[in-house]
Amino acid sequence: MAAKSPHRPQCQEQQVGALLPLSRESVARTTLPGTLGAPAAARAFVRTALTGPGATAVLGPRPLGDRLTEDAVLLVSELVTNAVLHAGTEVEVVCRLRATPPGVVVEVMDLHPASAVYGGQGTRRRGRGLQLMGALAESWGVTYHRTRKAVWFRLDAARKGAGAEAVPGDTVGGEARFAKTLAPAAPARHRDGAAGWVDRGGPSFLAEASDLLAGQLDENMVAALAGQLLVPRLADWCAVWLSAEGRRLRLCRVWHSDERRNDALRLALESHPPPTGLDASGTPWPWPEPADSRGAGGAAVAFPLFAQGRSHGVLLLGRAGVPQLNEGVARLSGDVARRVAQAVATARRYTRQATISRALQRRQLPTSLAHIPGVDTAIVYEPHGEGQTVGGDFYDLFPMGRRRWCFLLGDVCGSDPEAMSVTGLARHLVRLLAREGHGAESVLSRLNQALLEEGAEAVAVGGEQARPRFLSLLYGELEPDPATGGAHCTLASAGHPLPLRLTADGSVVTTGSSQMLLGIDEDAEFHADTFDLALGETLLCVTDGVTERRSGNRQLDDDDGLADILRGCTGLGARAVAERVRRAAHDFGPEPIDDDLAVLVLEAVRA
């Protein structure tokens, strides 16, 4: 029951500037307000457009791939940010998928045609959108109209799949491939000219390196970016060791200006890991012979990756043909090492927190669904928000002895950590009450009382600003009948969308009766309805992420829209029905779903 976003006006105009004609395509578009939340919304919109059913309809079994998707998400984020900051109007994003040749065209339009497009080389205002498009896009352009301006780019799947760099053990996205675009390159003759470049371009290089590293939340990505940043600007090659358990070091990344020498250099370095206690300003290191095909040798220096009171690894870099590093190069390299160390420390802290969060979230949902003889079951569960494994929706299906099973589908108001804690409380309390012999009415009444007590304690501790937590819950009990097939069902709904029953003759009826949300009224009384789920009949239970899915001013369940979808599922099994409803919810509107989504399907079959 997360708050729904207001309707956003949809632009129906199909003009796309100077884009190439597409032979077969899928078009998705959205209009975003000119606020700081627009880039995040644009990222979610493009990711959904490139991975959802629309992409499958156009490309069939030929996926675009993670690399192209991440590039498109990155580019649209930069362009929307640019439009919001410099145009200050609402922004329209159009995503076009084409089948021949496979690829995508994305267009970002604002309503301020007189504003300049920032981010190119030599502009005073900082920004990297156009630099990134030059590095990643197959083609791009800017089209000016009387009332708006459009910036577009094209990514081709065939070109993106060729020559992709593989990094063992991790996924390197667009950042590593365009790191060289973000900072000024050192002159080609850096043996003697590096000092001058350090003085002139060093501050800009360091600032851009800081921005790039600060945004990374994966330590392997940080190591990969360190190599991209340092080679060949400050070194001919570099290596990054990261500390592992037991204070051991693992060689995470080796980067050579001559990629053919990467494997030989890695072998040479793996046999001689650096010691602890290195000097922060740099410790000379023996030159590994595979680092230079000419046998001329050079200077190698190791820098500790020390941040937040502990060592996170070692950065080693080398320059061929010089007896030692220039003082300015060494100083700038040490500055980069300190930023790499800080980025690794931040990424590790984030990873630890994310691991703890995922572990706690996993406890909110059952690890598996019980098998019911004579009843086929299916669940679809999609929490809203990037990186979420659990949201405000929850479900369960568990046995009560040998002949009775209980199922539930619930939705907590909100999707923050406190809301997720309520999902765990509700699910486990329902299990406990059911196993103590409480019927459906008693389960709802006692859960209602528990939520009211929990809310009162929250207000007592947090004051009036502490929000009470309301809960909608659909709770049912099934008793299969092996003799005749089907099952006897007892059902109670508290503020939850009522389930729909698809009968054997293809008709759809609403089952149960609406009652008050849990956690509102301590005097609320609840009752249950009973019915028989006959052989061949299907019971569809959903949360409001399905029924209230929006497309403009309409919701999916307006005019019995969900019943129409279920009516078209006649003859399908439980899993196919659940997938049909999930796909219908995603396809109903052009914007990404902005709420948790859960679907539970029960079908009476022969045991």
Side-chain angles (χ1 to χ4, degrees):
M1 293 184 298
K4 304 299 182 293
S5 60
H7 168 57
R8 295 167 180 163
Q10 299 297 308
C11 177
Q12 301 299 321
E13 191 173 356
Q14 298 296 314
Q15 196 277 338
V16 292
L19 305 184
L20 297 177
L22 307 179
S23 57
R24 179 166 167 250
E25 66 179 20
S26 169
V27 181
R29 63 179 65 232
T30 184
T31 301
L32 306 173
T35 64
L36 295 179
R43 291 194 296 270
F45 166 74
V46 169
R47 191 182 300 278
T48 299
L50 298 187
T51 59
T56 303
V58 172
L59 300 173
R62 297 176 296 172
L64 291 174
D66 292 341
R67 178 168 169 175
L68 184 144
T69 300
E70 293 304 321
D71 286 355
V73 168
L74 175 71
L75 291 179
V76 78
S77 179
E78 292 289 344
L79 293 184
V80 171
T81 299
N82 197 13
V84 169
L85 291 179
H86 303 304
T89 70
E90 67 179 21
V91 180
E92 183 178 10
V93 181
V94 180
C95 184
R96 296 174 179 270
L97 273 168
R98 64 181 186 182
T100 308
V104 60
V105 176
V106 178
E107 188 177 19
V108 175
M109 290 179 280
D110 63 62
L111 303 181
H112 193 351
S115 66
V117 179
Y118 292 94
Q121 294 285 0
T123 59
R124 290 187 177 183
R125 299 195 192 187
R126 297 189 63 181
R128 56 195 187 201
L130 302 190
Q131 297 182 53
L132 300 189
M133 287 206 293
L136 299 180
E138 177 68 19
S139 60
W140 66 275
V142 184
T143 304
Y144 291 91
H145 303 272
R146 184 175 60 84
T147 60
R148 69 186 189 279
K149 173 177 77 274
V151 184
W152 58 267
F153 63 85
R154 191 181 86 228
L155 300 174
D156 290 345
R159 290 290 300 274
K160 286 291 173 186
E165 177 193 1
V167 179
D170 67 302
T171 302
V172 178
E175 288 93 338
R177 294 193 301 283
F178 58 74
K180 295 178 181 178
T181 308
L182 300 185
R189 295 182 296 105
H190 68 277
R191 306 294 186 273
D192 301 322
W197 175 80
V198 166
D199 292 337
R200 296 189 305 272
S204 175
F205 166 76
L206 197 59
E208 295 288 1
S210 299
D211 288 346
L212 185 61
L213 292 170
Q216 306 308 319
L217 296 176
D218 180 87
E219 61 181 70
N220 293 311
M221 174 67 79
V222 173
L225 290 176
Q228 287 276 14
L229 288 165
L230 292 168
V231 178
R233 291 177 184 83
L234 299 178
D236 292 295
W237 56 267
C238 83
V240 178
W241 281 267
L242 294 180
S243 60
E245 295 181 4
R247 300 178 65 86
R248 294 182 300 105
L249 291 176
R250 65 178 178 91
L251 184 55
C252 177
R253 183 66 171 163
V254 172
W255 193 274
H256 200 294
S257 58
D258 183 356
E259 295 183 5
R260 296 170 299 179
R261 308 195 63 79
N262 279 344
D263 292 340
L265 180 59
R266 174 178 286 273
L267 288 175
L269 294 176
E270 282 179 335
S271 60
H272 297 287
T276 58
L278 297 174
D279 191 326
S281 61
T283 300
W285 190 256
W287 181 263
E289 289 303 325
D292 184 13
S293 60
R294 301 184 303 275
V301 178
F303 296 90
L305 299 179
F306 191 85
Q308 300 181 6
R310 59 164 295 186
S311 174
H312 297 278
V314 173
L315 172 67
L316 176 65
L317 56 86
R319 294 181 60 213
V322 296
Q324 63 181 20
L325 291 188
N326 172 275
E327 180 181 354
V329 173
R331 184 176 61 253
L332 184 58
S333 300
D335 289 339
V336 173
R338 283 188 287 275
R339 284 155 176 79
V340 170
Q342 184 62 50
V344 171
T346 301
R348 289 183 164 181
R349 185 171 62 250
Y350 169 81
T351 300
R352 285 194 297 270
Q353 293 173 345
T355 300
I356 294 172
S357 177
R358 285 192 295 268
L360 292 175
Q361 289 183 39
R362 282 194 295 267
R363 300 293 297 174
Q364 311 304 313
L365 297 177
T367 56
S368 62
L369 294 180
H371 171 70
I372 307 177
V375 178
D376 191 17
T377 62
I379 183 74
V380 168
Y381 182 75
E382 294 182 355
H384 173 63
E386 289 189 29
Q388 288 289 92
T389 58
V390 177
D393 290 1
F394 62 100
Y395 61 90
D396 205 352
L397 177 60
F398 56 94
M400 282 296 301
R402 300 178 60 184
R403 300 185 55 186
R404 187 162 60 101
W405 282 260
C406 302
F407 65 91
L408 61 92
L409 192 62
D411 185 0
V412 178
C413 178
S415 57
D416 55 12
E418 289 188 12
M420 286 186 283
S421 70
V422 175
T423 68
L425 166 69
R427 187 177 73 84
H428 291 293
L429 184 55
V430 168
R431 277 201 175 203
L432 178 63
L433 292 171
R435 287 173 175 170
E436 287 183 348
H438 293 275
E441 297 95 338
S442 180
V443 167
L444 294 188
S445 296
R446 291 175 180 266
L447 181 57
N448 181 57
Q449 188 63 37
L451 288 172
L452 288 167
E453 293 174 358
E454 187 80 7
E457 291 179 3
V459 171
V461 174
E464 292 299 325
Q465 68 271 19
R467 294 185 300 163
R469 293 297 177 177
F470 307 132
L471 171 68
S472 77
L473 183 70
L474 180 70
Y475 174 74
E477 299 175 352
L478 283 174
E479 295 184 37
D481 187 346
T484 61
H488 183 70
C489 184
T490 302
L491 188 73
S493 173
H496 202 84
L498 295 177
L500 300 177
R501 182 158 53 101
L502 175 63
T503 64
D505 62 4
S507 60
V508 175
V509 295
T510 301
T511 303
S513 55
S514 299
Q515 300 176 86
M516 185 175 292
L517 282 167
L518 300 174
I520 294 181
D521 183 5
E522 62 180 352
D523 296 324
E525 296 182 357
F526 301 94
H527 65 271
D529 299 284
T530 61
F531 64 95
D532 290 321
L533 189 67
L535 186 67
E537 292 188 341
T538 298
L539 188 68
L540 171 64
C541 312
V542 302
T543 57
D544 62 4
V546 175
T547 57
E548 297 179 7
R549 166 69 162 135
R550 284 190 173 276
S551 177
N553 290 323
R554 288 183 52 80
Q555 293 185 347
L556 183 145
D557 201 31
D558 288 348
D559 301 323
D560 296 325
L562 184 59
D564 291 339
I565 295 171
L566 182 59
R567 196 173 293 112
C569 296
T570 301
L572 299 181
R575 291 176 179 79
V577 172
E579 176 58 25
R580 177 75 64 85
V581 173
R582 184 200 71 82
R583 189 168 64 246
H586 280 276
D587 291 346
F588 184 71
E591 299 180 358
I593 292 179
D594 61 355
D595 196 1
D596 301 326
L597 181 150
V599 180
L600 175 64
V601 180
L602 306 170
E603 180 193 12
V605 297
R606 294 195 179 277

